[in-house]
Every structure is written in structure tokens, then in C-alpha cells.
Amino acid sequence: MRRIEALVLLSTLSTSILAAESSRPRGVGPEFAKFYKAADSFTCISNPSIKLDISKVNDDYCDCPDGSDEPGTAACTYLSALSPPQPIVGAPNTTLALPGFYCKNKGHIPSYISHTYVNDGVCDYDVCCDGSDEWAGVGGVKCEDKCKEIGKEWRRLDEIRQKSARNALKKKTELVNEAQALRAGVELRISSLHVEIKDQGKKVEELKKKFEEVERSERGKVVKSAGKGSKVTVLAGLAKQRVEELRDALVGLVNKRDELRRKVKELETILSTFKEEYNPNFNDEGVKRAVKSWEDYAAKKDASPESDESAEDRDIESISKADSETEGINWAEWEIEEESDIEALYKFEEYLPASVRAWVHQKLTDLRILLIENGILADNASSGSESKAVSAARTAYQNLNDDLGIKESSVGDLTKDLEKDYGPNDIFRALKGTCISKDSGEYEYELCWLDKTSQKSKKGGGTTGMGNFVRFDKMYFDEEVDAEGKGLGTGERTVLMYENGQHCWNGPNRQTTVVLACAEKDEIWKVVEQEKCMYRMDVGTPAVCEIGQKKADPKKDEL
Amino acid sequence: MRRSLALSSRWTAILVVISALCCLFSPAISVKHENFKTCDQSGFCKRNRAYADTAAGTNNWEAPYRIAPESLSWKNGQLQGSILKTVNANGETVRLPITISFLESGSARVVIDEEKRQKGEIELRHDSKIRKERYNEAESWAIVGGLDLSKTATEDRGSAKSHVKYGPDGKFEAVITYAPFGIDFKRDDATQVRFNDRGLLNLEHWRQKIDKPAPETKEGEEPSPTPEVPAGEDESTWWDETFGGNTDSKPRGPESVGLDITFPGYEYVFGIPEHAGSLSLKATRGGDGNHNDPYRLYNADVFEYIMDSSMTLYGSIPFMQAHKKDSTVGVFWLNAAETWIDVIKEKEAHNPLSLGIGSKFETKTHWFSESGLIDVFVFLGPTAKDITKVYGELTGYTALPQEFAIAYHQCRWNYNSDEDVKDVDRKMSKHNIPYDVIWLDIEYTDDKQYFTWDPLSFTNPTGMLEQLDQSERKLVAIIDPHIKNKDGYHVVEELKKKDLAVHDKGGGIYEGWCWPGSSHWVDCFNPAAIKWWIGLFKYDYFKGSAPNLFIWNDMNEPSVFNGPETTMPKDNIHHGGWEHRDVHNINGMTFHNATYQALLERRKGEIRRPFVLTRSFYSGSQRLGAMWTGDNQASWEHLAAGFPMILNNGIAGFPFAGADVGGFFGNPEKDLLTRWYQAGAFYPFFRGHAHIDTRRREPYLAGEPYTGIITQALRLRYSLLPAWYTAFHEASVDGTPIIRPHYFQYPSDEAGFAIDDQFFVGGTGLLAKPVVTEKAESVDIYLPDDEQYYDYFTFEKYSGRGKHNIVAPLEKIPLLMQGGHIIPRKDRPRRSSGLMKWDPHTLVLVLGKSGQAKGELYFDDGETFDYQQGAYVHREFEFRDGVLVSSDIGVNGKLTEKFLRCVKSVGVEKILIVGAPKSWEGKSSVKIGGGEAGLEFHPEEGNKAAWAVVRAPKVAIGEDWKIEF
């Protein structure tokens, strides 16, 4: 006992000699030195009414309700809102006055370590590289000063980190430029589209007019259309249309059927796996019933002879092919106009001299239009069989008009895209459309910027959607940063929320909180399932780097 | 009647609400009752109950068992002879050898066997190759000592009775009546325990199956009861028995044993864990508030078990205590087969011969087991402490655990990877939450193959263990008895090659299903299997293991997913040719034992106290580690159920017990989780655990104020670790429970006998009543005496026998200190218990009405067996007449001095005196030897007691000293 005391005394002595310039008591940081200057007494920092003899400083007994008399021991650690409450006399200020035990870490960066780590028998070199937290050597622990090597290693790594940080900023600038260029591209595209739209708008107007003219004049024609030909041609037209409709419906149905078949197959696979793997231990009546029904279903299915669906499928396939000269019905054959006698009669105009003919034709047409407009004659144009001239004009007009619509909507889309949040400086514009992935234990995870997150098990099975991008967010984190600078660190971080992924059995839809921290390259650092089917992805990217930003206290971590 | 009606309709309403809630939150939560037998579905249970009913319904029922007086012989405290059982109307008898041993410890033992089976003169059905005897090796697993025969017992034989005087000062007496056979056990001339009082002794003697032309029964049809069975001999359950699609071939036919044991004058019985119900056992033959089925002991993996039930659970201790004012007696039914216990409680003993003093009550029990011997120990007390001590002499005391094992354990099914474990470890430190052990459930393995690590998610187990070791933390990994049946898995290949697995009835290796799918079960009844098992745990065999890795044995009932009642068929065969039927309840203990043996010395010369948690257990399991109450649920009901179960386990000799904090199934609300941590801080085994489908619930995730309150509860546990460890030490030397029910501490206080929601912590005088109900604002705590009590945290005073209300908002744990005790603490918060080793103590002197206080402290290295050679500190502190004295109450050994040198620097930093005398006002120092230390006095304030602090007395904890106030 005495020897230990002597040792303690000696070490206190040597420390005081070494630290002669400040002669601060053990564990006191320079910013608190002023409180420990008096030679014979000490006043509790946050409770100035309590004045102690200087011998009570660092005597391993807690006197100050703010812990300030024990900067160098663990004696005041029980003063904590996390410890069981104890009776307090009066109303002292119990907020701890000191941030911790001050490790000088000569040769490296000084640091505060929690008093609960002082003299617990563990050398906490990650904070106290000089080993001063274990000055009492409890249980024979000896923590030699490792600041020289740790400092050296830290500086080496720090250089790498600095370099990496510079590179990251450079990359970020590149990303910003790229994003700006992309934005400019979009803006350019919009303005060129605007010009095109303007021009095309005029053209469309012209074509529209033309079409209307043609249509108007065609209305005047008595009979010229294929439809007005023979009844057969009319029928053929109708039949063709009907067949087309039916075919479309059939194709739709077949697609639906295939989709359903796929689903049935998937469900059957799930159920047979379920039957294989369910746990009869639990003797869950519900599960048992389900398994039994599945067995019955499977048995029934096996028993009924597989009807030959392939033949049927072949039939459907051939039916659903578009008609052409070689397949199905050659509608063209039925559309050729056959000149009937009745038709010929209408051609009397042809017997007239050209000049008269034009005049007569014009007059007849006008008359006919007059009659139509007054409801006396029926309008041919709407009968579904219009002339080729009209359809050509219509097609020309419609095509160009459709194209105009597309252009207009893409202007809308692009404008909206410009207004969309791509983060500060539009930076994620440069990343959108790219994906990064990480191999982590059983799974391979993928993050597609502003798109979706997913996982794929190495033990088989497909890709599972873990969420689709919905918005940016900011959240506070307090996490480790490793020696290579990977990790979220402490502070507010940009977060990408991915929601509504694949539904979890017995749980919610999967979702991923993608937390971003500055790094030289895009990289998924870590994926954790914080709660069932709620993931957090820690991701490094230059996109969120800021000048002068440090992720964490460099003296504490990164060793 | 109206009351019961109202009650039942309320119950119905509650049930409806509960089931509605269940539907909302998760697939129906309730035990699959139909998976487990009722008494009516268990042949021998039905037969023995029917036998009891016949006896009760018959006038002047005379049991057909009598001792042949001429067969009796007395030697060295042992009476031997034969019982003749009359088996038919012709008076034919079978001979049942009986041995009654009177032991030095004061207990008596009665063993009844069957001569014909003993001699092997029976025929087995189905060409079975099993043993013909009744199972007679339960003793070799359960009993470790205390069998020395009494040297002072004397026999006085008469023509109808024999009297044996035995026990301390010859105060005990056994009166053996010949015809019908019966024994009365007396203490101070009053009968305490009676055997065969009701004539229910039943030993089903061997008989040949006579095949009668079976009545035509169509397949699938229930066989109609055969009318031609002779009256009283219902053979329907004698032979093959089918349940849940499995047929038990029963090659030895009916062979059950039964006996009624009456406790005249006793109203309360406790013990026979494990059941989810009150500490005080209920009557089991129906009626308002009673159970309908006997208490069953048949270790089983009961999925989502229900509350307040006599249904069996994972473990069995067939040890019961009966208690009345100032007297406790007990019986231990040493039988490893399926066992049921019927309890009847009667007011006004109807037996005029009952000599019990004030025999207003009578508790009648009826014990029956499917096979094996009748082998019963009787303990006559007179105190519960006497009984747990003697019971412990027989079955062993609680193993003194490593210190970390009584600190906090953080578990989850599952931590997903080594990185996940390291992350939780870092976060606990970061949030200043102490913990000692993190756990891995089955998912850490490669495809459920034990002794392997998942190659994708646990790539660096060594790195993980090293990080934990930096703050003296440990890892516990699960290893179960089912071995995956898969080609190329080295463990199963060795198991098969060496033929060390349990066999099926045909003699082949038994195959069943458990977590890994198709599996085999290691047969730890086989010494060769134990030897092999030990080898599997060597560091160079179990790659990635390290000294700070410990083991969890789950599913050792054994749980077999496709077996009858989720366990093995009873006609499976174990080492030595014994049927599984004979040994079932011991099976879990044999596996636990093998793992314990394996952890003793994983590297040559490195001998450490093992830590193995078990789910299944039997009498004796306390020698091997801790148990927990299995798969509970995140509900207030389950939180409340924890203490009665743990208390019951404690008085039954296995006090190192706990329930999963937070509840295994389901997601606890934050207030429930918080209250559960406050309760868990008082579980001898303190572990948070969660099902794989639940949300993460590590304490730091709860958020404020919950995380802070939970941390306070954890730190309370840690600061009281010196007191807990001292209580564990006491349990390890005399079997006294660690948390103690009222009847145990206050055997005269009748109002406290049934209390099981508050308890004392060791001998510290700490009386705790953790809140276990939702939205409670206060609790009523019951004080058993007129001593002064103080609130642990505020020093508010409570006194007077009866109930007192303690205000208990969420952050408050109702915890009182009883005057007259000295409580040792260590108040400095650290990351783990290992890092508190060198911290100084705080002594809390809680002065009683007499102004005196007394307490104990025991500690050692918390790790090795050196304490067996004296490497420990055991002090008694006593404060009286203004002087506090620390004196050594240990026994010096070879290593004492070395240990004392080692802990020389560990001192006392502070002495807190609660209830300090007024006269100390103005006193500013105390005398310590030649020197002195400062004294601070704080006068009484309202209802808060006066208290004082001795500042830095600078005395070593391991030395003699004296402080004068």
C-alpha cells in the first residue's frame, strides 16, 4: 500500500515537473487552468460557494457537486443523470464543469477522455495516446506513451485524408460543372425546342387548313370512297376494323394470361418452398391447413392431364399476327374498287367538255354542300370511308401535330426537370442514372442515384427493391469515422429517402435512408437493417463535400 | 355464483379484446394447446387420477399395499424390506423392495422398486432391446452428496408399526405403518408429512399383454370402449399410445408409479417449477380460480406459453415446500420421467388422526410418474432455509458464476454480422450504458451447423472477440444439441462414426427435425459423448472461439419440431439401453453438463468457471449455470409473471434465473421496455432479448426519457454488483435463494406467505417491488415487520407492518432499504463489470430502530476457481454503539495472502449512514485508528431521514479496521 502511494506521489511529482510551465493539476486542460491557480484552496467551478482545501483536489474523493475538484480521477463519475439518483443537499449546480480528463498527448493532439475511462485498467490509446488515463496503474496496467508512433501514423493518414479531401473537392467541382453543363444542355434543348415548336406550329396550322380544305371539298364529292363502292367493300372495311379490335383484345388477354400464369407459377414456387420449410414444431393450425390445402391443390393439378396448351398457343400466336398478303386475310383484295354500273353513271361528268365539266362539277359540288349543310343530303365524309386525299392530309396534319405535342410536353418535362431538386448546385444531376453497389455479407446492395435501392442475396433469389427515391432530407448523426476517413462523423448530413420498396412479409414496405458524407469517390460504406426492412445506407460521395468541413474531431477518431 | 358469472363475462370481454389485439398486431399469440397433452390424453395420468377418484369414492378404501413385517431389517440408519402388493381377488401378490434411509443431514429417503423387473424376469414387447429394470440412475445425475446415513437414528419395531427416531437431536420421527403401508413423518411429535394417507400408492407391476380378439374397428374410427374389461382394470391406456400422429410402442407396458403425500396443517405449497403461475401453488382439481389439470413436469418447448397455467414448460424440478406459520417442510420426488402433481387444499382436516398443531388446513398432493422408481426425500425443516440447504447438499448448490455473468447481457435473435456486434458494442459505450455480454443466436452459424461461423456475415469472429475484450466484454454463442444431418459437416460425421447420438426404438440413429432441418441428437448420457463434446470446444477445434466466448444451450428439452409434443418419442433409446421415457426430464441437464465440462478447460492449464445458459433443467442444473424462463412475450402480463417464476425457481434450488427483458415475442412499447429493465435489474440473470421479427430495441434506441431511465436501472444493477455477488456466494455455499420471497424471510408473517410480486435481494435488506403494470403511478408495498425502512434513492421513511404506498412514476423503481443492514456498492460507472474491479467501495449503513446495522461482502477474482483455495475476501461489517467494524469471516487458504496483496489498493471511498442519529449534528470527523476522516451530517428533512457521509476513510476493503463515530 505504501509503495503504491509512493509511486503515485512520484508520478504526480514527475508530472508536475514536466508540466512546470503550467503546473496544472492532473487532467486539467489549459482552458481551465485559471481555476486551479490558487496555492492553498480551490473553489468549485460552477459552485463558487464551495471552497476546498487544495489537498482535496484530485484526492480521489468527489467534493464538488460539479465534479471540478477531481479533474484527474474517476471519483466524480457517479455525478450523472444516467446514474441512480442520490439525495442532494441544497440546490447546487450539478452540471459537470469539465469536459473530461485532459490527455496532453505530447507529440500528437491533446484530447479529453471521459472520466469514466480514467483508471479503469484499459489503455484507451484512441483518445489518450500518452496513456495518461491510466496513471494509477490499477491491477498492474501500464500504458506507455505511444503518442510518437500514433501521432506519426495519424499524420501520415491525415495527409492521405487531406489529399483525399482535396481530391474530393476537386471531384465535387467537376460534378458541379458537369451538372451545370447538363443543366445548360437542358436549357439549350428547351430553347431550341421552343424555336422548333414555333416553326412547326405554323406548319401545323397550314396543314390543318389544307386538311380542312381537302375535307371540305371531299364532302362535296358524291361518291368517291372505297366505302361507297360495293357493299362487300364496306363489309370488308368494317370486318377489318372489327378483326383488328378483336385481335388487339386477344393480344391484351394473352398478355394478361401470361402475366397471371407467371404469378401462379411464382406463388406455387413460394408455396412449395413454404411446404418444404415450414416449421411443424409450431403446430400452427392455420399453417397446417394451408399446407394441407396446398398439397390437395398440387395433387389435383398433377392428376388432371396437362391439356396441350402449346397447340392452342400456336393458334393464338398466328391469329394475333397482323394480316398481310401472306398471312390471315388479305384485306387489300377486298378494298380494290370495283366499278359497277351504278358507279359509271356518276361519271357522267366525264362526258362533258373540260371547261363545262369544271364549272358543272363546281356547281354540283356547291349544291351538294348546300344540301348537306342544310341537312337534306347525308354527309359522306363521316361515314368512315373517306378518300385517300383526305386521309393523306389528315395523316400529314396529325403526324406533325402529334410531333408538336411531343415537343411541347418534352419542353414541359424539361422545364419541370430544371425546377426539380437536384441538391445544392444541382449536383446530383451529374450522378443521376448511375449506380454503385457493395458486397456486404449475405447481400449485394445497389444504390442508383435518385432512382432506387436494392439488394440481392448471394444465397439465391431475385433482386429485392429496397425503395424508390422520394426526396432529399437532412438529419443529425454522431458516428465513427475510420482511419481512411470512411464514416458519417458528427453533424448534419444530407439524406436521400428511398421509400415504398418491396413489401416485407410480416412487416412494412422496405425503405432505405441513404446518408451521405464526403468522400473522394462514390462508395457504399455500410448497410444496416435498423429495423425490420428499414435500411440505412452510409454512402461516401464527393457530391456533399464542403470546403473546410471536418467530419469529426480529428484528435478523437481516425486512428 | 353471480360473482363468478360476472368474472367470467369480464374474462370473456378481456379475451375478446386480447384476441382482437392479437389479430391486429401479429398472428395469434397463444400456446398451441392441442400440441400438448392434457391429463386425460396422458394414459398414466388418467389412470392415476381415476385411481384417486376410485379411492376417494370408495368407503373404507384400503390400499392393496402392505409391508411384510418379517422382511424388515434395520442397519446403519436404513430400514429395508418388502411391500406386498395384492394384485387380484385371489390375494396374489407381487414383491416390491423398499428401502427407507435416514440421512445424516436430517432428511429421509424412501425408495420402492419392483422385484420382478429388477431381476429382469419380464418380457419386452416388440422384440425391444431396452433395459428391463425400472430406471434407477436418476440419482447419478441429480445427486452429488448428502447421502451419508445417519449414525444416530434408532428403530423401534412393533407388530403393526415401526418407529424411527432421527434428525438433529432425534427430534424427527418416522412412523411406518405396515398394513396398509404408510409413513407419517413427525417433527416434535407433530405429523408434518404423510405418505399414502389417502391410499393412492400405486406401482404398476409388470404384466403380460393378453391379446383379446379386438373388436372390429374401422380405420379412422375411434375404438369403442371394450365392455369385457374387468372392472377397475381399464386396459385402454396400457399398451401402445397414440398422440398427435405418433404412436408410443411402450415395450414394457404400463409401469407408472404414484403416491399421495399430505401436509397436515399446511395451507401453502411452493416449488415444482417450471410453470407460468403464482409462487403459491393452486389446487388442481377444478373449482373457482383453480387449475383443472395437475401440475405437469415434462420438459417441452412450449411455443408462446400462456399465463397462470399448470401446463408444463421447459424445465422440471420435482421439489416442493409446504409452509405454515413458523414451519416449512419439503419433499423431493426423484424421478426423471413425465410427472404430474395434483394438489388439493382443504380447510378443516377431515382426518381426526391428524395431529398437526392448529391443523385448520391440509394440503394433499398426489404425485405420479410414467416410469422409474418411487424415490422420495422428505425434509422436515423447520425453516425454508434449512430445507434449501439440505436439498442443496443433495443436488448441489448454485455454481458461483463469473462476475460478468451476473451483470447485464445484451441479446437478440440475431445480431446479423460481426460488424453489427461491434457496432452495438461501440454504441453502448458511446451512450455510457454498461453491459458485459453480447449474444449470438443461431444465425451466426454456417447453415445452422454449430462450431462454424457464417462465412459471409461473420468473416472475422476473432476481431469481434478482440474488440469486446478491450473493455472486458464477452460473447455468448448458442450451441444446441441437434446436429445438422448434412454430408460433409465434420461434427455430424464424427457423431455418426462414433455412434454417440440418441437412437430410435429400432436401434438406428434417431433422425428428427429442428432448426437445421434433418438432425441427430448427441446423447450426453453417454460418457464417450461427453468426452467427444468436450473436445469440440477446444480453441483449435472451434475456430474463431476465444476465452471470452461462452455458451448458450437452447432446445435441450430436447425440442424436436416433428416429434410428439415437440420432443423425442418416448421409445427412443439412450446410452445404457434406457428409454427416453425414463430419462426425459434429465436430458436437458445432461447436455448442459457436457457443455459445462467442455468450458472448464478449453486450453490446457486455463481453467475458468464456465458460463452456460440453459433452457431445460432438472434438479442439479444449478451446478452448471443459469436458466431463463424461455420464450416470453412483450406484454405486461409476461412482465408480471417473471418474478413468481424466478422466485419459485430460487426456492427450488436454482436461483440463477431470469426472464427475457423486453419480452421475446412482439414489440414492447417504450414504457413497457423501460419498466422491464427496472424489473430486470433485479433478475439474478439479467438479459435483454428479442425475436428476429421484432424491431431493434437496444437501450440506446429508445430515446429520451426512456434511454436515460433504462441506463439508470442498468447502473443501479452495476453499482449493487458487490451485493449481488455476495448473495450469489451465499447461494453457492448454502442454497439460500438470491431473491427471496416473504415466506422465506418472514416465516411467521402469514400475510406475506402468498406474496410473489415483491422480494428481498440476498441478505442486504433491500426490498424491491418493481412496477409491472401499465401506467402505474404508484405501488403498494407490503412491510412484514415494524423495522424502519427507507426509500433507496431519497431516504424517505416508511415503517409499520402492512401496506405502504410508494409513488412510482416511470423513472422510479420502488426499492426500500430495511433498517439494520449494511449494503456494499461500487458507484463509479464503467463500461463493464470487469473494469470496476479496482474501484473503491461505498458502504451504505442503514440504521434500524436499534441504531445498529450489519452486512457482508464477498468477492474474489470473479473468474477462476482460486477462491476454492482461499483467494477471496469475505468481510462482515457491523455497526453498533457508534463503532463500525470490519472483520474477516473467510477461511484462509493457500492463495488467501496472494489475493489480499493483489486487492490491497481496493478501498472504501465513502460510508453513507442512512438514519443517522441526531446526536451527530455538529460532528465533523470520525476516528479511524490513529487518523480521522471527515463526517458530513444532513439532518432530517420532512419525511426524509437524516443521513451522514464519512468522507474518504481510506481503509482497504480486505483489511480489518474500525471506525469510531
Side-chain angles (χ1 to χ4, degrees), chain A residues 108-386:
Chain A
H108 189 32
I109 304 161
S111 174
Y112 281 105
I113 188 169
S114 164
H115 280 113
T116 58
Y117 288 29
V118 173
N119 291 334
D120 62 353
V122 178
C123 310
D124 291 291
Y125 284 124
D126 52 341
V127 191
C128 260
C129 62
D130 61 4
S132 60
D133 58 319
E134 293 303 318
W135 58 266
V138 296
V141 69
K142 281 196 190 82
C143 303
E144 51 178 312
D145 187 339
K146 287 192 179 175
C147 284
K148 209 173 147 193
E149 47 183 303
I150 289 173
K152 197 173 152 200
E153 176 66 5
W154 185 86
R155 282 187 292 275
R156 187 182 71 79
L157 287 169
D158 195 47
E159 210 164 285
I160 295 171
R161 280 194 298 271
Q162 302 283 350
K163 204 171 142 198
S164 164
R166 282 193 297 274
N167 286 342
L169 279 173
K170 225 182 277 167
K171 283 208 176 146
K172 188 197 172 178
T173 314
E174 284 166 27
L175 280 176
V176 170
N177 291 341
E178 201 182 327
Q180 236 105 63
L182 284 168
R183 188 184 177 89
V186 173
E187 282 163 349
L188 195 69
R189 179 84 188 114
I190 291 175
S191 61
S192 73
L193 276 171
H194 273 308
V195 175
E196 280 175 39
I197 287 167
K198 211 172 148 195
D199 292 353
Q200 206 167 321
K202 278 182 205 150
K203 274 184 203 153
V204 167
E205 275 310 302
E206 281 164 23
L207 282 173
K208 190 181 175 194
K209 243 183 243 161
K210 200 168 165 193
F211 159 66
E212 278 166 0
E213 250 166 53
V214 172
E215 193 184 39
R216 191 164 174 275
S217 68
E218 280 299 300
R219 264 195 226 162
K221 282 187 183 168
V222 185
V223 176
K224 271 295 171 226
S225 74
K228 202 63 193 172
S230 66
K231 277 188 180 163
V232 178
T233 331
V234 174
L235 185 64
L238 290 172
K240 186 185 175 188
Q241 206 179 338
R242 186 82 183 135
V243 165
E244 225 96 60
E245 274 170 33
L246 288 170
R247 178 179 292 131
D248 286 349
L250 177 64
V251 169
L253 268 176
V254 167
N255 286 343
K256 256 187 215 158
R257 181 205 63 175
D258 290 343
E259 176 64 16
L260 285 171
R261 262 196 198 157
R262 199 187 52 72
K263 278 190 181 160
V264 166
K265 188 132 199 201
E266 196 181 326
L267 283 171
E268 286 180 349
T269 317
I270 292 170
L271 280 170
S272 58
T273 320
F274 170 65
K275 193 207 149 193
E276 291 292 313
E277 295 178 353
Y278 88 105
N279 186 341
N281 171 38
F282 300 152
N283 261 7
D284 186 313
E285 276 308 315
V287 174
K288 269 194 186 162
R289 259 197 305 281
V291 170
K292 179 79 175 51
S293 324
W294 158 247
E295 282 166 346
D296 293 345
Y297 167 86
K300 240 186 282 167
K301 202 179 150 223
D302 288 344
S304 65
E306 199 83 2
S307 55
D308 192 1
E309 283 173 351
S310 54
E312 201 179 301
D313 280 353
R314 267 201 306 281
D315 286 348
I316 291 174
E317 200 188 343
S318 68
I319 293 167
S320 47
K321 271 198 192 126
D323 290 332
S324 67
E325 281 175 280
T326 51
E327 275 193 70
I329 306 165
N330 185 0
W331 295 102
E333 268 176 30
W334 302 89
E335 279 168 1
I336 291 166
E337 286 178 35
E338 276 175 64
E339 289 200 12
S340 66
D341 295 343
I342 305 158
E343 289 259 334
L345 270 180
Y346 283 98
K347 289 188 172 178
F348 79 99
E349 278 176 30
E350 287 174 14
Y351 304 101
L352 297 172
S355 56
V356 181
R357 190 163 58 195
W359 182 85
V360 168
H361 181 79
Q362 189 57 46
K363 285 297 154 197
L364 272 171
T365 307
D366 286 351
L367 174 67
R368 188 174 164 77
I369 289 168
L370 187 79
L371 291 173
I372 288 170
E373 284 172 353
N374 289 302
I376 297 164
L377 260 182
D379 184 358
N380 276 333
S382 58
S383 70
S385 52
E386 58 186 21

Side-chain angles (χ1 to χ4, degrees), chain A residues 375-416:
Chain A
I376 297 164
L377 260 182
D379 184 358
N380 276 333
S382 58
S383 70
S385 52
E386 58 186 21
S387 81
K388 281 189 173 159
V390 174
S391 17
R394 180 199 297 279
T395 313
Y397 158 66
Q398 274 178 350
N399 283 352
L400 202 63
N401 194 41
D402 287 352
D403 189 51
L404 182 65
I406 289 168
K407 280 183 177 142
E408 275 167 344
S409 84
S410 65
V411 165
D413 288 350
L414 289 168
T415 314
K416 242 187 249 161

